[in-house]
Amino acid sequence: PGLILLARERWPDLPLHLSVQANTVNGAAVRFWRQAGIRRVILSRELSLDEIAAIRQDCPDTELEVFVHGALCVAYSGRCLLSGYFNHRDPNQGTCTNSCRWQYRPHAAEPDPAGDVWLLEEIERRRGEYLPISEDEHGTYILNSKDLRAIEHVRRLVEIGVDSLKIEGRTKSPYYVARTCQAYRQAIDDAASGRELDPRLLGQLEGLANRGYTDGFYERHHTRERQNYLRGPSESGGSP
């Protein structure tokens, strides 16, 4: 809030956008930020389609932006500390190294009769370094999410009136960015013209490097459908 105030005082005509990491999840928060001078709010990734529609109806005068494709953070709206801890590259500064997807080996802590404290060893570059982790009734928090792909929901998002669709392309190649943007551009144009989604677009995205796809929180699923337990690196589903 202080930075927003300073920006408005120094550059009153500068359009201000609010990051997804502000965790904006309801209409009341959007109205608050609009009063603070924010033109566009990037909504939290954790919202469903119905929740986004409710915010749009509640806040017709604020630009809304949502994520539709790319890597999903395992922490709430990107608030993971792993990358900053390992490499001093922080997710909320746009420099995450995806530490959650490295190769780890668990070790039971000794003595630990209850079995609820474990040690993690990152075995590629940090052998012999053991990181304590604990597990509660919700599980533990070093996971490996599948990548977000919500192209099948573009028509609904257009109907809702979302102003901008956001593609996460950090660490990706120019080819990946170009092909992904091309697919979503066609999906947006088709939706705006009343046409159904071209199924060939799904095949184009499958052919790009990915960790398996999920539509995230747009429609509710069981947790195991969102996680990739088998591999960390991206793999291409086909040749360019």
Side-chain angles (χ1 to χ4, degrees), residues 107-118 135:
H107 303 272
E110 298 291 345
D112 181 27
D116 58 357
V117 177
W118 291 78
E135 181 173 305

Side-chain angles (χ1 to χ4, degrees), residues 54-221:
I55 293 173
R56 173 77 290 167
Q57 185 174 3
D58 195 26
C59 307
D61 299 326
T62 304
E63 295 180 11
L64 300 179
E65 183 170 317
V66 299
F67 278 88
V68 292
H69 197 89
L72 280 174
C73 185
V74 299
Y76 191 90
S77 284
R79 297 196 172 196
C80 175
L81 300 178
L82 283 176
S83 180
Y85 177 80
F86 279 132
N87 302 304
H88 306 291
R89 290 177 57 181
D90 295 303
N92 66 358
Q93 294 179 0
T95 57
C96 181
T97 57
N98 297 130
S99 305
C100 59
R101 298 184 175 105
W102 295 350
Q103 189 172 4
Y104 294 94
R105 176 184 295 146
H107 303 272
E110 298 291 345
D112 181 27
D116 58 357
V117 177
W118 291 78
L119 304 174
L120 275 187
E121 179 188 21
E122 198 278 302
I123 63 177
E124 290 188 359
R125 298 184 180 180
R126 295 171 176 81
R127 286 185 180 271
E129 297 182 23
Y130 299 98
L131 306 173
I133 60 171
S134 60
E135 181 173 305
D136 58 20
E137 66 273 16
H138 303 295
T140 188
Y141 306 95
I142 298 177
L143 302 173
N144 179 30
S145 174
K146 294 180 179 180
D147 287 345
L148 175 64
R149 185 196 66 192
I151 197 168
E152 59 268 39
H153 299 305
V154 165
R155 184 170 183 175
R156 175 80 191 282
L157 292 169
V158 169
E159 292 170 349
I160 288 171
V162 169
D163 295 276
S164 178
L165 305 183
K166 193 175 185 70
I167 294 171
E168 189 283 321
R170 187 177 301 132
T171 74
K172 298 297 194 298
S173 68
Y175 175 82
Y176 174 98
V177 174
R179 293 292 284 168
T180 304
C181 291
Q182 183 183 48
Y184 278 88
R185 177 74 268 169
Q186 181 180 333
I188 293 169
D189 292 343
D190 288 345
S193 301
R195 295 188 295 268
E196 297 293 330
L197 175 69
D198 186 343
R200 291 176 296 180
L201 298 179
L202 298 173
Q204 290 180 21
L205 295 175
E206 286 288 349
L208 299 175
N210 66 83
R211 299 179 179 87
Y213 284 125
T214 173
D215 63 352
F217 294 91
Y218 284 120
E219 293 181 341
R220 302 307 188 194
H221 296 297

Side-chain angles (χ1 to χ4, degrees), residues 24-35 54-55 58-59:
T24 307
V25 295
N26 55 59
V30 172
R31 293 197 305 272
F32 170 84
W33 289 116
R34 180 171 177 79
Q35 292 174 1
I55 293 173
D58 195 26
C59 307

